Amino acid sequence: MSDLPPPRSWLFVPADSEKKIDKALGSEADAIIFDLEDSVAPAAKAFARDLLKELGPRHGGPRWWVRINPMFAPEHREDLKLFSKAEFEGIVLPKAESEDDLVHLAHSTGSIPIHAIVTETPASLFNLGSYKGTQAPLAAMSWGAEDLSSALGARSKYAADGKLAFTYQLARSLCLAGAVAAGAQPVDGVYTDFRNDEGLKEEARAAASEGFTGKLAIHPAQVPIINAAFTPSDTEVARAKAIVDAFAAHPDAGVLDVGGRMVDRPHLTQAKALLARAKR
Ligand code: COA
Ligand code: MG
């Protein structure tokens, strides 16, 4: 799979809007997701596919991914034909229910990387451990609350205190653990209150400190906030370097004192991963 660092920001753009596509192409997003699914009305799906076929060659800028319609949708087969175009780095698969879906998709798409949205159906929540060890080219996993709450018949995805209700926090944490277990990038879900920059900043920082390495975006203004939240700070980089240097100086040590704090092998792994992400 790709040697590029995992995208911090994944910006959705409805693929039937030329104006938004232009804007997304010129944005600072690490990756754009051209959406053929929920943000495009059924009558506009063929038009959206045509716009994607007509996109010229990519000259740097955001990486190009496409969200196709789910396996069971009538549009799915047509959408897959788009991937003969080399500019599309990967496929975003919505409503993935288990690892079986990835294997099924990869039968048609071969080695094209897959970013699976893994918590959109009630049944999917029971299968978040299934992605570990997959033979499919799984690159990233993200979670979504909108489709899940609708499928569950919920009136709201929020609890009385205004925070995400337990069901969606569970989905989020299981996505994180399932992705890391599978060796895929854990990507946090969308922040739909897109005019609230402070709220987004807080949510993105919390996600980054828990282990997510990127977040979905729905508006170009969210991109710089997300990029900043998932870029390791100078302090974090310095701390990670100190840990790597300490183990390099004491290769046989299991545990060390670095700056007055206990560090052992898992900290070394974490420090190396952080330094790899800082190098972009
Ligand atoms: N990608 C690219 N450009 C976008 C964009 C996006 N996701 N969202 C908004 N823009 C553009 C607008 O077209 C507008 O362009 P202009 O300045 O040339 O007129 C500019 O950014 C400012 O947009 P704004 O007026 O603040 O928002 P809006 O009311 O036009 O759009 C949404 C709001 C939510 C409809 C829009 O952000 C959107 O379509 N988001 C993506 C939704 C999606 O893909 N959902 C599926 C995943 S959950
Ligand atoms: Mg959806």
Side-chain angles (χ1 to χ4, degrees), residues 239 243 246-247 249-258 260-268:
R239 168 93 190 142
I243 293 172
F247 277 101
H250 303 92
D252 298 326
V255 60
L256 289 166
D257 165 0
V258 178
R261 274 190 253 161
M262 188 278 288
V263 297
D264 55 14
R265 293 281 154 178
H267 294 103
L268 177 61

Side-chain angles (χ1 to χ4, degrees), residues 37-38 67 94-95 120 146-147:
E37 199 216 7
D38 285 345
R67 180 164 75 170
K95 301 178 177 75
E120 294 190 302
E146 314 305 317
D147 289 272

